[in-house]
């Protein structure tokens, strides 16, 4: 199997998981328990919090562990917005951000992107109203790989707070929260090699204190429920070596570019999506004219390749990608979207193999479509 779907979930970091298993085996207890094993589990959670805080350049007390980025987005929005508040949200945010705004009954205004999926600070500033309570913009887009000028957007909308989804940027490019100038930010463990089921909310002091889950006093009352110690420790371990991850992702840039260049040269109707001037080094979003992504995906799956059509969260459903629609593509063109996202283990050999296999697969499907 050749795995080119790292933006959906990154393969597990085996070393981080090994440390996490050893830790929970040595302290098989609830971190809220007062006995020795409980205290060891608590210490492991707090050590991980420090590791994540160091990676993000924030204070441990500013972090809340959650079940993932989805929950962290809900917690952030619940803390920053009340029913009827005006929220500006980019057109390419993850569905969880939009869902969180709907849940609290916000008055949502979408900030459009251009044909390359780009966003400008001026576009946000222009739509500000006296009653705007929050701006939501991600640092890196999961389907396109586009990078957004979050610090500049935050400066343009100040003093309105910004919530930034750094889920896709974290571990791929350097992310230092203070440089973004945001009130809140979220990350997800399974995008960086921790198991799924762990995420983090960063919130500036005093922000986002309204819980979504009521119950126990965990996470200073912000998020009730026993902590996912295994996931949290694994995430902490990943964070301790995050610079290596970022460096490796940077090295993927030339591989991604060669793949794009070769596909463009070999395939008719190849269109690349996104902003070539500001994007993640690992992500290639494209479409092939007249060829629905959902025809290509299973054929490549049979050849042993894991790709994605549109966003992974939406695959399985046949609705066109909202992100590609936001670029101004027609529904039919948006259905043609494919995403290749490379990761830590990606090799030149894998890229060559893809280039050997993909064009003939496309030619076969096109021939069948022509016959019918
Ligand atoms: N935000 C972005 C940009 C994502 O790519 C994802 C995952 O698909 C999420 C949020 C949701 O993350 P999680 O699966 O941890 O809830």
């Amino acid at each position: 199997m050749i795995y080119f779907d790292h933006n959906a979930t990154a393969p597990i970091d085996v070393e981080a998981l090994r440390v996490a298993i050893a830790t929970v085996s040595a302290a098989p207890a609830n971190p809220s328990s007062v006995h020795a094993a409980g205290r060891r589990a608590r210490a492991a959670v707090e050590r991980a919090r420090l590791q994540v805080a160091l990676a993000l350049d924030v204070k441990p007390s500013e972090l809340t562990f959650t079940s993932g980025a989805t929950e962290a987005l809900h917690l952030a929005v619940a803390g920053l917005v009340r029913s009827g508040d005006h929220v500006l949200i980019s057109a390419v945010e993850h569905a969880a951000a939009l869902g969180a705004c709907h849940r609290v009954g916000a008055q949502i205004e979408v900030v459009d992107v251009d044909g390359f999926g780009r966003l400008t600070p001026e576009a946000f500033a222009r739509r500000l109203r006296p009653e705007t309570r929050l701006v939501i913009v991600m640092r890196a887009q999961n389907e396109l790989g586009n990078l957004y000028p979050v610090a500049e957007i935050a400066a343009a909308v100040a003093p309105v707070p910004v919530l930034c989804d750094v889920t896709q940027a974290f571990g791929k490019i350097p992310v230092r929260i203070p440089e973004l100038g945001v009130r809140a930010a979220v990350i997800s463990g399974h995008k960086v090699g921790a198991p799924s089921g762990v995420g983090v909310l960063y919130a500036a002091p005093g922000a986002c204190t309204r819980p979504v889950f009521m119950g126990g006093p965990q996470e200073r009352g912000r998020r009730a429920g026993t902590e996912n110690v295994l996931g949290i420790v694994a995430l902490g371990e990943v964070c301790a070596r995050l610079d290596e991850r970022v460096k490796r992702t940077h090295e993927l840039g030339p591989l991604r570019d060669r793949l794009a260049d070769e596909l463009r040269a070999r395939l008719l109707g190849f269109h690349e999506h996104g902003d070539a001037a500001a994007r993640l080094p690992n992500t290639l979003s494209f479409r092939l004219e007249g060829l629905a992504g959902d025809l290509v995906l299973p054929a490549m799956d049979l050849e042993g390749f894991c790709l994605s059509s549109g966003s992974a969260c939406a695959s399985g459903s046949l609705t066109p990608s909202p992100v590609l629609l936001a670029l101004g593509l027609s529904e039919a063109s948006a259905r043609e979207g494919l995403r290749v996202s490379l990761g830590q283990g990606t090799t030149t050999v894998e890229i060559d193999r893809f280039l050997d296999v993909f064009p003939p697969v496309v030619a076969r499907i096109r021939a069948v479509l022509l016959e019918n």
Side-chain angles (χ1 to χ4, degrees):
M1 183 189 83
I2 295 184
Y3 189 75
F4 282 173
D5 203 12
H6 287 74
N7 287 10
T9 287
I12 203 91
D13 179 323
V14 176
E15 178 53 21
L17 186 64
R18 196 190 58 71
V19 172
I21 291 171
T23 305
V24 294
S25 305
N30 190 314
S32 297
S33 296
V34 292
H35 46 62
R39 293 198 305 277
R40 277 204 297 277
R42 165 63 50 211
V45 168
E46 296 315 317
R47 180 169 185 271
R49 197 187 308 275
L50 180 60
Q51 288 168 319
V52 179
L54 287 172
L56 290 170
D57 197 16
V58 297
K59 294 199 186 80
S61 60
E62 294 166 341
L63 301 180
T64 303
F65 286 117
T66 65
S67 62
T70 297
E71 188 196 328
L73 284 165
H74 277 262
L75 198 49
V77 170
L80 296 167
V81 178
R82 300 214 183 237
S83 179
D85 283 351
H86 181 242
V87 174
L88 286 177
I89 180 167
S90 94
V92 292
E93 294 305 299
H94 192 270
L98 200 57
C101 293
H102 281 299
R103 196 188 71 89
V104 299
Q107 200 191 136
I108 300 165
E109 184 172 343
V110 173
V111 178
D112 291 332
V113 293
D114 69 8
F116 296 95
R118 292 178 297 201
L119 287 162
T120 61
E122 297 71 37
F124 284 89
R126 228 180 296 130
R127 288 173 177 78
L128 280 181
R129 299 187 200 163
E131 69 272 23
T132 307
R133 290 288 165 271
L134 182 65
V135 166
I136 305 181
V137 61
M138 60 202 341
R139 177 72 180 104
Q141 214 293 323
N142 42 303
E143 285 184 55
L144 305 171
N146 278 12
L147 299 178
Y148 294 117
V150 176
E152 289 78 0
I153 292 169
V157 303
V160 174
V162 172
L163 162 60
C164 182
D165 183 346
V166 289
T167 302
Q168 290 293 342
F170 189 66
K172 298 194 181 94
I173 57 169
V175 174
R176 303 273 176 270
I177 298 288
E179 289 170 9
L180 298 178
V182 298
R183 185 73 56 90
V186 305
I187 62 169
S188 172
H190 72 100
K191 308 288 186 184
V192 289
S196 51
V198 61
V200 180
L201 166 68
Y202 155 79
C208 308
T209 52
R210 206 174 304 145
V212 174
F213 295 169
M214 323 292 179
Q218 289 90 352
E219 298 295 297
R220 288 162 296 119
R222 289 180 184 198
R223 199 271 184 178
T226 302
E227 299 87 342
N228 170 3
V229 183
L230 185 87
I232 289 171
V233 171
L235 177 57
E237 287 302 312
V238 169
C239 286
R241 288 183 277 110
L242 205 73
D243 289 349
E244 280 169 42
R245 223 182 154 82
V246 171
K247 183 168 172 283
R248 174 75 192 115
T249 309
H250 181 74
E251 289 163 3
L252 294 172
L255 286 187
R256 193 220 80 100
D257 291 348
R258 183 162 76 83
L259 183 60
D261 292 345
E262 294 279 350
L263 293 178
R264 190 177 302 108
R266 295 187 201 184
L267 292 167
L268 275 179
F270 172 90
H271 298 278
E272 199 176 334
H273 308 132
D275 181 4
R279 66 177 166 214
L280 290 173
N282 77 316
T283 308
L284 171 59
S285 168
F286 65 100
R287 69 182 192 280
L288 295 168
E289 260 169 48
L291 205 51
D294 287 308
L295 290 177
V296 182
L297 219 59
M300 285 304 286
D301 194 23
L302 284 175
E303 300 285 346
F305 286 88
C306 302
L307 316 175
S308 166
S309 70
S311 91
C313 304
S315 54
S317 85
L318 289 173
T319 52
S321 153
V323 171
L324 298 183
L325 290 177
L327 303 185
L329 296 182
S330 67
E331 291 215 357
S333 296
R335 279 181 219 278
E336 293 162 358
L338 288 167
R339 181 186 69 188
V340 171
S341 52
L342 313 178
Q344 300 293 295
T346 303
T347 61
T348 309
V349 173
E350 289 181 340
I351 299 287
D352 290 341
R353 175 96 191 108
F354 184 85
L355 287 168
D356 285 345
V357 171
F358 189 68
V361 163
V362 168
R364 254 192 345 255
I365 302 172
R366 279 183 163 155
V368 172
L369 289 175
L370 269 180
E371 278 167 21
N372 293 297

